[in-house]
Amino acid sequence: MRRFRAVYIIWLRDLKRHFRDRARIIGSLGSPIVFVFILGQGLGASFRFTGAEADFDYKVFMFPGILGMTVLFAGVFAAVSIVWDREFGFLKEMLVAPVPSWSIALGKVISGATIATSQGALMLLLAPLVGIRLTLPMVLALLPTMFLVSISMTGMGILVATRLKSMQGFQVVMNFIMMPMFFISGAMFQLSSAPAWMDVLSRINPLTYGVDALRSIMVADFPSRYPLGYDLAMLAIISSALIIISIIAFSRQQ
Amino acid sequence: MNPAEPIISVEDLTRVFGSLIAVDRVSFDVAGREVFGFLGPNGAGKTTTINMLCTLLKPTSGHATLNGYDISSQQDQVRQSIGIVFQDPTLDEQLTARENLQFHAMLYNVPASEREIRSRRVLEIVGLAERSRDKVETFSGGMKRRLEIARGLMHYPRVLFLDEPTLGLDPQTRTAIWEYVHELRQQYGITVFLTTHYMDEAENCDRIAIIDHGNIVALDKPDDLKHRVGGDIITLRPVDAEATRRELKDRFGLNGAILEAHADNSGPAGTHLRLEAPSGRTLLPQLLKGLSTEILSVTVREPTLDDVFLSLTGRQIREEAAAGKMAVMKDRIRIRRRARSH
Ligand SMILES: Nc1ncnc2c1ncn2[C@@H]1O[C@H](COP(=O)(O)OP(=O)(O)OP(=O)(O)O)[C@@H](O)[C@H]1O
Ligand SMILES: [Mg+2]
């Protein structure tokens, strides 16, 4: 029990820090909003969907994808804060404490997922503006789904953090991992006509299942790629694997 | 545990970084309730030794036990037994002073009912009671250091490591912290392991290990260490150092060392001659009567730990480094105070 207390303590600290920084909370919603209302508006004019009505609104298609993007960025970023903690020395305070190092990593995964989900929840407030009508059952399905997606993202973030010496390397992670993950997830366009290599990558990308699940829940009249149950099962498998791998990597490194 | 058994026992502990041997087959024991000090110049291997003892760094070779637990194979138990104030900052600057303390208390399983009482007490001791609800980000360097120490005193471990704990702090704060450390030791039987540059702080120790280039060159009670130096220290400031040195050798059989001293509180800058003599006070009048070469000034004093270090290694511990850092910090504190009063 004591071991799980440490998970809670680390979670509590990260949440305190996060919710204190209002400017960052608002700021990190900036790019999703730009994506939806500028890119979505612009691209929508020239978009043709397969399997949906010809006048299907692109913004509605894109919105679940942007939710996925919010969760991706918030989740990875929250987990990579371990690198800050290392630079500012605070990681030493945690590592030398009488708590197992797996509980530190697990605490980080859960706090990151909580933060990412809360960012996603904030984005949900914008759904009516693109013409998506949210119902309570929908929201109750969306929140745990986002949490599940977030866990893969934070797990991956922890893994990245064990390799990063300083925050300067984060740019590389952003360009070579996060951006490709986002584009190969079906967030911005359907993957049905994608080349084979992209199709393969999309199948190991947790965000693919995340975006597909969010879209199934939010947009009933759009054909989803996989059944919702399949999406959730894949997410659960990938998330569990990433949690385990990231905890092992974190504990090894110390 | 048997009280006669040492609480820390170190045997041939070694740590290598690339080709540098930072800690070189070090062995020593620390008794329970002891205040044990590591004294040595920058880069001597003090922090590296502490990092190994508190399980943050794996030894290259050698063994150590702490509170009966092996530092390599029983890390969890070792961490249960210790507390540490690191040399480098490890605070969460986005949290308030009080939150940093509370977080620490939670990590170390301090009962909820005790947390508030203890954090108030330690903040009082380091003079930060009024700032307890401010973000650490807004603190001066010296204030952060004080908070760091306060946090280390929140739980009562078997062994408390203090790595250069009071560097840059004003004398009153240092005294208050030391009083509290001694109180904790009395009440809870805490053993204190500290490293320091300050000679007067080293005097707080029951025993001191002098460490240089990763080796322990001496380990004893402060007074006994000082007795190892041949009595009193006489410092002469001659006009012609070489001539006076030769005369002392020929006429009195004394071996003087020529030092280029910097201006500090022990005398003016320039070339000095340093002598060790069993009873300097009685020797001095004879010296002055007998010497034909000209002398500008003379001091006689009892040996300090710095002299012990000098006589063991031929070098001085650079206390200026510490003094310099402290001056900078004090300035910073002063500037902040002024800024706040406007
Ligand atoms: N992580 C590291 N990588 C490489 N070399 C290191 C590392 N840590 C310490 N060293 C080297 O080991 C030696 C001992 O360092 P250590 O920090 O133990 O000195 P110290 O006695 O604590 O000095 P100070 O009084 O300056 O704190 C130094 O030469 C230092 O450069
Ligand atoms: Mg050091």
Side-chain angles (χ1 to χ4, degrees):
Chain A
M1 212 41 236
R2 165 130 185 236
R3 296 166 171 234
F4 285 95
R5 252 175 54 88
V7 175
Y8 163 71
I9 297 167
I10 284 153
W11 177 84
L12 188 66
R13 175 230 173 200
D14 281 351
L15 260 70
K16 262 193 182 156
R17 279 176 64 112
H18 175 75
F19 287 110
R20 189 159 294 172
D21 199 350
R22 297 265 153 74
R24 222 187 68 200
I25 296 176
I26 308 286
S28 61
L29 291 179
S31 58
I33 291 173
V34 167
F35 266 74
V36 173
F37 293 100
I38 298 181
L39 201 60
Q41 191 72 49
L43 285 179
S46 56
F47 233 81
R48 287 286 168 276
F49 293 103
T50 45
E53 286 166 37
D55 63 343
F56 191 85
D57 187 353
Y58 178 66
K59 287 207 293 295
V60 173
F61 168 82
M62 187 197 200
F63 192 80
I66 297 305
L67 266 189
M69 171 177 128
T70 308
V71 166
L72 161 72
F73 279 67
V76 174
F77 203 76
V80 167
S81 71
I82 285 192
V83 178
W84 290 116
D85 286 342
R86 195 187 294 130
E87 266 178 50
F88 281 91
F90 190 75
L91 187 61
K92 274 210 274 191
E93 154 83 354
M94 292 189 274
L95 287 176
V96 83
V99 300
S101 51
W102 64 257
S103 68
I104 299 175
L106 188 60
K108 277 278 170 192
V109 168
I110 297 177
S111 73
T114 310
I115 289 169
T117 307
S118 77
Q119 291 289 96
L122 270 184
M123 272 303 286
L124 278 184
L125 296 177
L126 300 179
L129 296 183
V130 300
I132 297 177
R133 287 197 37 165
L134 292 176
T135 60
L136 186 63
M138 243 190 224
V139 174
L140 292 181
L142 284 172
L143 292 178
T145 307
M146 284 197 288
F147 191 79
L148 197 54
V149 183
S150 307
I151 285 190
S152 327
M153 301 308 146
T154 49
M156 196 179 72
I158 304 274
L159 213 52
V160 164
T162 60
R163 306 269 155 243
L164 278 187
K165 286 277 169 287
S166 76
M167 272 318 255
Q168 271 157 1
F170 190 65
Q171 194 65 34
V172 177
V173 176
M174 181 97 164
N175 291 337
F176 288 94
I177 301 180
M178 292 163 72
M179 290 316 277
M181 267 182 81
F182 169 56
F183 287 117
I184 307 180
S185 69
M188 301 281 286
F189 49 84
Q190 286 175 297
L191 290 164
S192 44
S193 51
W197 64 268
M198 209 190 265
D199 188 62
V200 171
L201 286 180
S202 77
R203 281 164 200 273
I204 54 168
N205 180 359
L207 198 59
T208 305
Y209 305 104
V211 167
D212 198 52
L214 294 173
R215 194 172 281 141
S216 309
I217 298 169
M218 293 180 94
V219 192
D221 53 349
F222 193 88
S224 70
R225 190 175 177 196
Y226 305 109
L228 182 58
Y230 181 78
D231 284 329
L232 295 179
M234 287 306 283
L235 275 175
I237 292 170
I238 298 177
S239 295
S240 320
L242 278 168
I243 288 186
I244 292 168
I245 296 170
S246 65
I247 286 176
I248 292 173
F250 181 82
S251 307
R252 277 260 174 82
Q253 176 207 19
Q254 311 309 332
Chain B
M1 206 181 82
N2 181 348
E5 241 173 67
I7 187 124
I8 303 176
S9 178
V10 177
E11 203 182 312
D12 285 335
L13 201 63
T14 302
R15 174 68 203 209
V16 176
F17 292 112
S19 61
L20 177 93
I21 306 176
V23 174
D24 189 6
R25 277 176 293 141
V26 160
S27 301
F28 59 88
D29 284 347
V30 179
R33 290 171 177 256
E34 192 172 21
V35 177
F36 184 87
F38 251 25
L39 184 68
N42 291 137
K46 305 182 292 292
T47 301
T48 306
T49 306
I50 287 191
N51 281 345
M52 288 191 281
L53 291 179
C54 70
T55 74
L56 283 183
L57 196 64
K58 287 207 173 69
T60 308
S61 64
H63 298 281
T65 60
L66 192 151
N67 199 18
Y69 302 114
D70 188 279
I71 58 161
S72 304
S73 60
Q74 294 172 297
Q75 301 199 341
D76 282 353
Q77 290 92 328
V78 170
R79 289 205 292 260
Q80 305 266 4
S81 315
I82 61 172
I84 177 166
V85 174
F86 290 102
Q87 182 174 7
D88 304 320
T90 62
L91 295 166
D92 186 336
E93 304 217 343
Q94 298 305 314
L95 297 184
T96 66
R98 193 173 151 276
E99 284 168 340
N100 267 282
L101 299 181
Q102 302 277 324
F103 181 77
H104 181 90
M106 286 168 86
L107 273 182
Y108 284 84
N109 251 5
V110 175
S113 56
E114 276 278 300
R115 277 180 219 148
E116 195 56 44
I117 301 169
R118 284 194 206 173
S119 54
R120 245 187 249 141
R121 176 88 203 273
V122 293
L123 284 172
E124 203 74 43
I125 286 160
V126 299
L128 286 174
E130 268 90 70
R131 305 292 306 264
S132 70
R133 281 166 200 279
D134 293 351
K135 265 197 197 178
V136 175
E137 201 175 41
T138 67
F139 284 15
S140 74
M143 288 160 70
K144 285 180 193 163
R145 191 66 195 148
R146 284 186 276 162
L147 180 60
E148 192 109 20
I149 296 171
R151 190 181 62 182
L153 303 175
M154 279 290 285
H155 74 289
Y156 308 145
R158 295 302 309 271
V159 180
L160 180 61
F161 290 98
L162 302 169
D163 199 355
E164 311 262 357
T166 59
L167 187 70
L169 298 188
D170 46 66
Q172 299 95 297
T173 312
R174 278 161 74 182
T175 311
I177 289 168
W178 269 106
E179 274 172 10
Y180 189 59
V181 167
H182 285 303
E183 186 188 317
L184 289 183
R185 181 160 74 126
Q186 293 294 320
Q187 274 187 23
Y188 303 97
I190 290 174
T191 304
V192 180
F193 187 125
L194 87 148
T195 75
T196 185
H197 274 103
Y198 291 122
M199 299 304 157
D200 55 344
E201 192 155 84
E203 309 270 354
N204 266 308
C205 300
D206 298 318
R207 284 189 312 148
I208 294 168
I210 296 184
I211 180 165
D212 188 32
H213 294 309
N215 290 295
I216 291 182
V217 292
L219 196 172
D220 219 331
K221 298 194 180 88
D223 282 343
D224 292 344
L225 281 173
K226 282 184 259 176
H227 285 145
R228 293 198 192 178
V229 179
D232 295 330
I233 309 292
I234 303 176
T235 313
L236 303 169
R237 194 160 157 247
V239 174
D240 181 347
E242 189 46 44
T244 309
R245 194 187 67 81
R246 229 176 298 120
E247 196 188 354
L248 282 169
K249 176 99 186 128
D250 296 344
R251 298 255 295 261
F252 300 91
L254 289 169
N255 282 316
I258 296 181
L259 292 178
E260 291 300 328
H262 301 284
D264 58 15
N265 43 15
S266 69
T271 308
H272 288 71
L273 261 180
R274 186 175 172 285
L275 298 172
E276 290 169 13
S279 48
R281 273 155 230 276
T282 49
L283 177 70
L284 191 61
Q286 298 169 35
L287 272 186
L288 293 180
K289 215 184 290 166
L291 276 178
S292 60
T293 52
E294 202 178 339
I295 306 290
L296 296 172
S297 69
V298 178
T299 56
V300 186
R301 58 181 174 80
E302 295 189 337
T304 64
L305 288 169
D306 202 15
D307 297 309
V308 179
F309 187 79
L310 184 68
S311 76
L312 286 167
T313 66
R315 289 175 295 119
Q316 270 172 304
I317 295 183
R318 299 210 162 260
E319 227 178 332
E320 311 99 71
K325 272 189 216 164
M326 180 155 137
V328 172
M329 265 187 207
K330 276 203 176 142
D331 276 350
R332 241 184 264 150
I333 294 170
R334 217 172 292 135
I335 290 166
R336 300 247 178 178
R337 283 213 184 111
R338 218 176 294 145
R340 238 182 299 127
S341 62
H342 281 285

